[in-house]
Amino acid sequence: MLPTQPINPGAAGKPGPARGRHPARATPRGRQVDPQVRAELEALLADRPRRRDLLIEHLHLIQDRFGQIPAAWLAALAEAMRLSEVEVYEVATFYAHFAVVKEGAPALPPLAVRVCDSLGCAMHGSEALLATLPAQVGGAARVLRAPCLGLCDQAPVVEVGHHFLHRATVPAVLEAIRQGDTHPHIASYVDATQYRAGGGYALLERVRSGALSAEAVLAAMEHSGLRGLGGAGFPTGRKWRAVRGEPGPRLMAVNADEGEPGTFKDRHYLNTDPHRILEGTLIAAHVIEAEDVYLYLRDEYPLAREILRREIAKLPPGGPRLHLRRGAGAYICGEESALLESLEGKRGLPRHKPPYPFQRGLFGQPTLINNVETLYWVRDILERGPEWWAAHGRHGGKGLRSFSVSGRVREPGVKLAPAGITLRELVEEFCGGMTEGHRLAAFLPGGASGGILPASLADVPLEFGALEPYGCFIGSAAVIVLSDRDDLRAAALNLMRFFEDESCGQCTPCRVGTQKARLLMERPVWDGALLAELAAVMRDASICGLGQAAPNPLTSLLRHFPDHVTAQESSPGGSSR
């Protein structure tokens, strides 16, 4: 039996207060909000609603003002939005682009210089920039590693504030800082006037007037065979019909969070022909009868954000309300359910399925989620007919694909080519061949998660279903070409580090598996049996596609490049640990 203890004994042996009663507190619980910060925050938020789903937007307002988020402002924002500080803090610290400064810590340099260290930029010298820039920049800015910035064809890329330097050098970065060149440069694009002059929005009016019925639109989309071009490849017409079949009200979300290393096609279309995407969006919204559409745009696309902000205001009257929402540096939010969580103002943690988003999506309502490029083709398919789309393709492929090509080719960039084209045909016909002095050794057909294939498979069609027998997939058609001068082990390690950094941490197989794989891959000798076992666990047990696909570059090397990885002998029982 435990000895009894007096409850709250008083001084000099006097009895303490009765059980359950406490002296009155001199101050309220928790961190107190600075009145001046409260007033400044109220002025900053102005008449913006204080709804939970706008939390990330409000955090951006603070970040844009200071280049960081001081702890005092987090406390004031929590009070203004009637949220706990924990809720606000966990969201702010989840996203890489929010620089939260803890209470009592010194302020950070307001300017961020982000150096892309993903595979394409690493192949072109980004590590040298990362090694040199901090000392050169000094206290003028903070130099940060960044995942893919969506300009892989211009590698290496550095983002100074929100201005991007293509094929960046140290002198160019220093000059941009000195000049204060930190804002996006808006190039020419097809604006509303030009788009209407080319027949734009006439199709939308036909759909809205009933001249082209919703059923006719659905039938054309299904007949065309268009599939989701964000990576999953789900038939577009079938998805629209599934959402329309659910009881309303219904919503729509546009996935413009293009974060797969090697992918930059959506950025190209958003920056050059935004109204074609917007018209496809409005047609889809009309078909499924969505009253609200949310465009989720990655924060690394400030030029696209400014273009959309301008052009959405010029849309034809009527139709759904369009909400432009800004990501904050989280690759995981490209996963559809994590995107929905982020749109609701939360951390981007993937949801368990079922229910699927078409059943219960944003705010619990049936939600259609489409990729940017998928919507880009809606107008062409409906105007030219589904046969036009289906007639394109090679080697059994159907339709057109926008390949994001980078790496060791003479002419990298977005290449519009027939679906099913082979890597060899793509490089020779659309990219001007290999870079001088380089010989094809390997290629990534679908970005970081799509795996790595040897040159001997360069004649396999780049199409859904054609690459899976070789342990790879086309995904978003992000093609990274490697040569005989590239270290394939280093390439696979670079990709695994990316997945480790970008894991949301929700499930153990991905959170721990990516770290363990990276540590094993850093060893001079790979334990093939142990790595294969770890990859199987990650693939089978991870919640979402990030953890399931993260081992693909690793398993590709074990399968297709055994001479590049020397497997040590396994211990009795299967593998050495």
Side-chain angles (χ1 to χ4, degrees), residues 235-278:
T236 303
R238 193 195 307 174
K239 178 183 282 191
W240 290 16
R241 190 178 292 279
V243 177
R244 182 179 169 87
E246 293 292 316
R250 308 178 194 94
L251 299 172
M252 180 177 177
V254 178
N255 188 345
D257 191 56
E258 178 184 50
E260 181 77 13
T263 308
F264 45 91
K265 61 183 178 62
D266 291 351
R267 180 182 197 145
H268 168 75
Y269 289 127
L270 287 165
N271 287 357
T272 58
D273 200 0
H275 283 281
R276 191 170 295 270
I277 299 160
L278 291 172

Side-chain angles (χ1 to χ4, degrees), residues 188-314:
S188 61
Y189 64 92
V190 179
D191 64 13
T193 302
Q194 295 168 308
Y195 187 71
R196 285 191 175 89
Y201 293 115
L203 176 64
L204 175 64
E205 293 307 315
R206 289 182 61 209
V207 172
R208 286 182 174 175
S209 69
L212 184 62
S213 69
E215 180 56 39
V217 171
L218 288 170
M221 297 303 295
E222 289 171 333
H223 183 54
S224 71
L226 177 67
R227 301 175 66 168
L229 299 175
F234 193 86
T236 303
R238 193 195 307 174
K239 178 183 282 191
W240 290 16
R241 190 178 292 279
V243 177
R244 182 179 169 87
E246 293 292 316
R250 308 178 194 94
L251 299 172
M252 180 177 177
V254 178
N255 188 345
D257 191 56
E258 178 184 50
E260 181 77 13
T263 308
F264 45 91
K265 61 183 178 62
D266 291 351
R267 180 182 197 145
H268 168 75
Y269 289 127
L270 287 165
N271 287 357
T272 58
D273 200 0
H275 283 281
R276 191 170 295 270
I277 299 160
L278 291 172
E279 184 168 15
T281 299
L282 293 174
I283 290 171
H286 179 86
V287 168
I288 69 162
E289 301 175 353
E291 296 183 357
D292 289 274
V293 177
Y294 293 79
L295 289 85
Y296 188 90
L297 183 68
R298 70 183 306 217
D299 197 30
E300 292 86 344
Y301 288 2
L303 174 56
R305 184 170 64 253
E306 178 58 25
I307 291 173
L308 287 172
R309 188 190 64 79
R310 295 181 182 186
E311 300 304 315
I312 286 174
K314 304 173 186 176

Side-chain angles (χ1 to χ4, degrees), residues 103-137:
E103 190 171 9
L108 300 170
L111 180 62
V113 174
R114 292 187 169 88
V115 181
C116 178
D117 70 346
S118 288
L119 181 57
C121 286
M123 291 166 62
H124 289 86
S126 63
E127 287 298 332
L129 289 172
L130 282 163
T132 306
L133 275 174
Q136 296 286 326
V137 169

Side-chain angles (χ1 to χ4, degrees), residues 492-505:
L493 179 57
N494 175 283
L495 299 173
M496 188 57 71
R497 285 173 175 156
F498 168 81
F499 290 122
E500 181 187 2
D501 288 342
E502 295 297 329
S503 173
C504 74

Side-chain angles (χ1 to χ4, degrees), residues 288-357:
I288 69 162
E289 301 175 353
E291 296 183 357
D292 289 274
V293 177
Y294 293 79
L295 289 85
Y296 188 90
L297 183 68
R298 70 183 306 217
D299 197 30
E300 292 86 344
Y301 288 2
L303 174 56
R305 184 170 64 253
E306 178 58 25
I307 291 173
L308 287 172
R309 188 190 64 79
R310 295 181 182 186
E311 300 304 315
I312 286 174
K314 304 173 186 176
L315 290 176
R321 293 177 291 270
L322 267 64
H323 309 268
L324 183 58
R325 295 293 176 84
R326 180 176 171 186
Y331 167 73
I332 189 63
C333 289
E335 196 276 338
E336 61 178 9
S337 64
L339 179 147
L340 298 177
E341 289 288 298
S342 189
L343 281 172
E344 293 180 1
K346 305 171 187 174
R347 295 175 294 166
L349 302 181
R351 298 174 180 176
H352 291 275
K353 303 172 188 176
Y356 295 94

